[in-house]
Amino acid sequence: NQSIIGLLGGLGAGADVVSEGELRRAIAAGIAGNKIVYSGVAKTVPEIEFALQSDIRQFNVESEPELEQISAAAVRLGKQANIAFRLNPDVDALTHEKISTGKSENKFGIPWESSRKAYARAAQLPGINVCGIDIHIGSQITQLEPYELAFERVAEMVQQLRGDGHTISSIDLGGGLGIDYHDGNRPAPTPAQYADLAIRKLGHLGCQFILEPGRSLVGAAGVLVSSVIYIKQGSRSTFLII
């Protein structure tokens, strides 16, 4: 929704995008390129080139083949690409399996044990500027414990990468902060609780935080109003057709 993107941008928010279309929408809503992070597992070459020409803040890189494509595109265009690898910390977000993204069996990110090798390769490539770390362990997360474990792992990795000679100045903490659906579970953490945890676990590193709050930005801001048209009795369940 362009109006909502523009409203959030006017309040100081940047944008996390996963396609050229989303990038174009963010720019059209007035968000500057240097406040846009490009995530996503399947960035095409034209999308990478458009992002470079838009001078985005950084790419969150999902794989080493993607890194090679970004390097080649940056060289062709005479650009320098800021990158952060999305690392998979193998942390269970304690949410639904279909929206869990931070366990080793999930398709997202660089395996934790391969992280230092990936950063070493990035440091060798032309057109690449290593600037940070990215994680994202899931969506609709309603407990702080998974974040705490993931943040502790990130803090250790930042120190290791800095020891290897890399400049790590930003941490994309992902997000996925849940909202309360009044389903009997304990209430979701507040943004303030989430922020306090990040500062406590990572504040000593002197990095800038990038946050992707997800549905918590807008998910509790409205209601769905509908009319029941039919009541349909199935063999096991009763369905409301609305």
Side-chain angles (χ1 to χ4, degrees), residues 88-236:
N88 187 320
D90 193 21
V91 169
D92 186 352
L94 303 178
T95 185
H96 193 283
E97 63 179 15
K98 297 299 185 183
I99 52 175
S100 175
T101 61
K103 295 193 289 185
S104 59
E105 63 263 32
N106 298 136
K107 65 178 177 284
F108 300 98
I110 303 288
W112 199 257
E113 62 273 14
S114 303
S115 301
R116 294 171 74 182
K117 177 183 175 183
Y119 276 91
R121 176 59 180 154
Q124 297 172 345
L125 288 175
I128 297 294
N129 176 47
V130 173
C131 64
I133 284 180
D134 168 46
I135 61 166
H136 195 298
I137 61 173
S139 298
Q140 186 51 21
I141 301 173
T142 57
Q143 302 178 50
L144 285 174
E145 288 82 356
Y147 290 126
E148 184 168 11
L149 181 56
F151 294 172
E152 288 173 353
R153 299 207 74 186
V154 167
E156 293 174 2
M157 182 59 70
V158 169
Q159 301 286 27
Q160 291 178 12
L161 292 172
R162 285 176 171 173
D164 292 340
H166 303 291
T167 298
I168 306 296
S169 57
S170 69
I171 303 173
D172 188 332
L173 298 175
L177 195 63
I179 62 174
D180 188 1
Y181 286 106
H182 306 289
D183 55 3
N185 295 325
R186 61 180 173 175
T190 66
Q193 290 171 322
Y194 174 65
D196 288 344
L197 177 64
I199 292 169
R200 180 158 48 86
K201 294 295 180 179
L202 298 164
H204 64 285
L205 297 170
C207 290
Q208 186 173 28
F209 294 159
I210 301 170
L211 309 174
E212 303 165 26
R215 76 186 68 193
S216 64
L217 286 172
V218 297
V223 295
L224 174 66
V225 179
S226 58
S227 298
V228 177
I229 309 301
Y230 300 111
I231 299 175
K232 176 182 175 182
Q233 187 62 53
S235 59
R236 296 185 180 179

